[in-house]
Amino acid sequence: MAVRAASALAATLILCLSPTAGAAETSRSFVVSFFAQQFTNQPGDCPGGINPEDERGQISVALRTMGYGPAEVRRLMAGWDKGGEGERRVAEILERRAVINGEPVNPMTHPEAVPDPNLKFVSAQKSVGFDLDGRRTAEDFIDLRTGVAGIDNQLFRALGCNQNFRGTWTSPSAYGEWVWVQLRDSQPAWLLTITGPSSGRDGLVKVRIQRSLDRLSANMDGSPRAHSTYRLDPDPRSINEFDGVIKDGVLTISRQPKFSILWNGLSAPVLNLSDFQLRLQQDARGQWDGLIGGFQPWRELYFAFSHNGIVGDRPGLWHAMKKAADHDPDPRTGQNLGISVAYRLTAIPAFVAVADPRLRSASAKR
Amino acid sequence: MNTSRRGFLRGTFAGSTVAVGLPFLDCFLDDSGTALAGTRQTLPSVFGNWFQYLGLNPGRWVPDQTGADYKNKVELAMFDPWKSRINLFSGGFYHLDGRPVETHRTGVQIATLGGIPGGRESGASLDSDIAEIIGRRTRFQTLDVTGTGGRFGVSKRAGAAYKPVESSPAALYRRIFGPEFTDPNAAEFVPSTKALAKSSVLSQITEQRRAVLRTVGAADRARLDEYFTSLRQLEQQIAMQLEPPEPLPACSPPPSIGAEAEAGGEVTAVERNVDLFGSLIVHAITCGQTRVFNVTMNTQGCRKAGSTQNWHGYTHEEPIDDALGYQPETTWFIMWANKIFANFLKKLESTPEGAGSVLDRVLVLWQTDHGYARTHTMDNVTTMTVGNAGGLFRTGRHIALAGDPVTRVGLTVQQGFGVRVSAWGSQSNRVTRPITDILA
Amino acid sequence: MNRARTLFDWLRGRKRVVSVFTVLAVGAALAWLLSPSTPNSAKVFVPPQVKASRLTPEQYRAVIGDIFGPQIDLGGRLEPVMRVGGLLTVGASSVSVTAAGMEQFDAMAEAIADQVLLQAANRQIFLPCKPADPRKADEGCARLFLSRVGERLFRRPLSESELRTFVAAAGVASTKLGDFHAGLSMSLAAMLASPQFLFRIPVLEEDPGRSGAFRLDGYSKASRLSFFLWNTGPDPELLRAAREGELESNRGLRRQIDRMMRSPRLEEGLRAFFRDMLQFDAFETLSKDPMLFPKFSRREMADAEEQTLRTLVDHLLVRGGDYRDVFTTKQTFLTPSLAAIYQVPVAHDAPNGDIEEWVPFEFAADDPRAGILSHASFTALHSPPGRTSPTERGKAVREVLMCQTVPAPPPDVQFTVVQNTADPVHRTVRQRLLAHATVPSCAGCHRVMDPMGLALENFDGSGEFRTAENGVGIDTSGDLDGVPFTNPLELAAVVRDNPAIPSCLVKRMAAYAFGQELTQDQRVFVKDMRKLFRESGYQVPELMRAIASREEFYQAAPLRPSDEPPMRMAAIGK
């Protein structure tokens, strides 16, 4: 009985991307098993010091930018330390940190109205990322891993001296890891499907990156579960198709005009990258690891930061990103709306399926 | 009657051992919940719940070895004096089933309730389930305290809101040992009607049961004889309930307690108040006032005097020291909190009672809200039990849960105390198999 | 010489002694020939000594669920049963109840009785009457309730003295507690802890068709039939048929058998049989190293068991397939998490976080996976936590599926070579086994076990497929009793065609049905069943029907004093 019921209820039609007749093409699919901004700090890359991350430090900076002198700030903070009346006094002052037309407003949602606290920038030579604009400028980095010059990663420059945005290649930033761990079990997974000639790994390929209806499947110990099946989300807002090249186990996609995928409320509602590039390396187990990059609208990033206390001084981050932005000038104001960024992405083998009520089963060829 | 009549059953399947342990049923004890009559006195078991937020540092507490011969790593090394009484569980998981983590809350819910409640109403925390079984005959079904201030702890009844906690040792002292306190050594004994009734029922039907022996062959008769032997033991246990209990010689109600500190997160105040609460709990146990206690250590707000950053802030904002490999201030707090727990254990162990100490009949379940507070992980969550509750559990083991839900520990502890539950928890945190290695 | 002659002379001189001696000798020979312990040399079915069986944990749950509904929480742990002759069901007729077990049964009895009578909703369903005064005893209402429930629990009507006793007990308790329902609940709890409930005690009557012979009485017949086909106690319809003597006639018996075979509950009986025969209880203690096999956890173990049971039910019951084909069938059922272990795509259309559905799945024709030997329920179950063991798997094929016994290894055998999966020289287990089996006397048994396990080396310790071990390609060739194979697919076909496979199923099914190991005395019955099984095209439901329909199934040897040693504890050793 249970058997018949299962037959009636069961779902899917499996894996119908590719095979074209003629050249035996194969598709292999993968699910993203980690995704976060990649910040690759090195010793001494913030000569001016790390921006204060504790509440006290941030408040001191805020008071300074509001025009209070150092001695005055010391006095106010001593009162704040004691709590009670002193704390209330400082809070009152901070209420007017952002003012529009004489009325105080929430500084987190109105960062423009907050005087720029001038958070310190990264001034390292090296970073990871991509040469997005094809030009060499003074603010470019040299790639830490490949040595290539002209790397654009202004988000790193702007945020890399804030404690929770600092990381290395092997250890993600606290913020990035936090967001990923917070949402990986509940947000829709991202899928990568690579279609190319079956003979050998190298050659031209088509790469499709899109969202799934299912969340990332995990083993009982929390690690991502390989060879799970994910239903493709047909929503066109999240479907991206590119041409790519695989050579010596490295997949590269160069200079695509646009990449767009629905994301999450802690990061940004949509991940929009223009001048999109991708570089992933495959290991012996078939797992991919590498970067994607492009120019991202920095204001979208800000509104994700803005409701999260661990990132540091949020209006300060607004001004930092605003100053560091390096792409897509607003026709009226000339302010750059896009900022160069690199994201770390790892992906493990998976199957994709089109959700369909018809019942058909077949096993994938090994 | 000695406790060896509670045997355990062993079978081997495919070379490995299966042991079916059994609960120490409350019906073996009399109404005032004190002794079993007989040549060896056994005092009733006690359950304690110690909930400490913010966990430990992964990598600094999971022993390399499992089983009985394990070596503690640095963050748990201070518990070595009690190692033979401790069961340590690593690799446990709080499953989310697709729901986002509510930091510092979801882990609490799963640890104490077995799962994430579906709506506003939720079930009882496991200490309440245990109290239903062992706490119904004591003056206080549970004692709930917090060392870190605040009004609510992690214990709750089904449906109702969380139980309020005592944050002032002085107030707790008045509640327990104030004018309403009655010395148990003077109590009059009245046998329970339920035990009387059950005893009568058994005497009525035993003859009828034995009639079965006349209807079977010789081989079967021998097997049924074993059944009747087992039945006889049960009958003796029930008969015991009808006899008056022994007095409690270890009970010495304190005339007063020392000055308490202002309830809150400042570290010396927390130490002081937990110390006072510990003494009160020990006295309450020896005087038979309770058999279940809850200590909530909401450590998030703990801070050193003069510091503005609290433990929770450090977990997220303090960088990992490159040389040490961990967050120094955060780790200072971890070791400090562990020391407080160790002091509590010392108190239990240094209070003589019966042939040993109060700790002999206690099991404290130590739980936390995250595996790694810095990133709010829900895997490899530290869980441990201290004590064997008067022989209800076997101890001294490091058990790798290997991805199993932490609720397996909760199920096992409940079963050990006699809660009649064959499954606990909801969705992926639902478990049916106890950790038989630690059930006696 | 003198002595011999003297003895002979003495004998010759003692004619009377000699003749007495002769008479005695002849008499002894006759007695020996005629004594009932003479081995039966073939054609005659001698009924077995029928033994009482303790309810297995599964049966206990099923019975309580049947009588009181699935919402009753047992709230305890059930004493497990030991495996005898390859079956737990047979072991159930060797075990008793230990003191520890008694405590559990007593506690569960109380918990069940309280739920049935003290919870208002349940009480309305199960209690057909109200007491005159709820604070006092009420004999009439107690009698009505206890006689009805007692018949279901004891699987026969209560005798008048039994009923009187339980009613009196309820009365005494009700009076002491000042509560009718609480008192009645105590009596019900006592019933639930009584041996008449916990043990299936057969009642014999004289067999009118064979003089001097005995058979099970109507209710015992009903019990035996019900536990065989449905793995639970007789339902009200079957009890009625027993009560009205319908089970004494062939037609009446057949009608009930037809009813039970047509019922959806037959599936549970089939599952229970295969769960027992395939030793799936080992899943309870199975553990896999989470570092080496992160995909395989409790959930996958439960799924693996269910996958095989579903496959068997579908193939044998739903489709009426040939039993031997379960070793070669490409069709099975998978959940999404199980599919990740088989590395095949299976998704299901359901919201996130929903319970996983089972999906029918068919492996491709050239896929090396086919039949239950390629299921994780075989490959992962018969593997140690961190590696594979071809010997263990081969042994399982022999013992579990072919009913052949392999002797235990000698006590001083060393496993270090075979266990060293990091050995740089012997990189595959085949090489390690060769290095391990240096003693010639071991080769005999290993020759019989290893080849089949080695053919399954494509499946690692968690059932996942691989083509190489430590970088070296896996050689899966071997032979089974002289019939060669080169890969798991061929192994499956060879196993399928081995005559021991159906023969073993019949042997196990018969022992399962009787609830005890069958001896030479019952050999002719088993032989008949084998023939029938073959002629029916190896239809397992038909085999079940055939066993249940035969007269021999209900015959019993008379009770007599026996010198069998009793079993002291419920479970000892392996």
Side-chain angles (χ1 to χ4, degrees), chain A residues 5 15 25 29 37 51-52 58 76 84 96 112-113 122 154 175 188 214 225 239 242 288 302 355:
Chain A
L15 186 41
E25 274 201 333
S29 295
Q37 288 111 357
N51 294 310
Q58 289 179 37
L76 284 167
R96 298 197 67 83
E112 243 342 284
V122 162
Q154 286 296 94
Y175 175 76
D214 300 303
R225 189 178 181 78
I239 300 184
F242 306 117
W288 294 100
Y302 174 75

Side-chain angles (χ1 to χ4, degrees), chain C residues 295-314:
Chain C
K295 283 184 186 172
F296 202 86
S297 70
R298 275 292 129 210
R299 173 180 62 183
E300 283 69 44
M301 288 183 203
D303 282 354
E305 179 182 342
E306 178 65 15
Q307 174 199 359
T308 302
L309 290 173
R310 265 181 200 248
T311 306
L312 288 165
V313 165
D314 181 60

Side-chain angles (χ1 to χ4, degrees), chain B residues 9-10 12-13 18 21-22 194 198 200 205 208-209 212 220 222-223 226-227 230 233-234 415 420 422 433, chain C residues 52 77 79 93 95-100 104 106 110 162 172 190 193-195 281 285 298 566-568 571 573:
Chain B
L9 191 65
R10 286 194 184 281
T12 42
F13 298 101
V18 170
L22 300 153
K194 189 155 180 210
K198 184 150 183 176
S200 311
I205 58 175
Q208 183 49 246
R209 281 176 172 171
V212 137
D220 285 344
R223 288 164 53 212
E226 191 186 333
Y227 163 91
S230 308
Q233 289 193 6
L234 193 65
Q415 286 188 349
R420 293 179 188 139
S422 49
R433 289 180 326 129
Chain C
R77 274 160 294 130
E79 214 172 43
S93 59
V95 301
S96 182
V97 178
T98 60
Q104 277 290 14
D106 183 69
E110 225 177 275
E162 279 174 336
V172 145
S194 288
D281 57 299
T285 47
R298 275 292 129 210
M567 294 303 305
R568 275 271 153 249

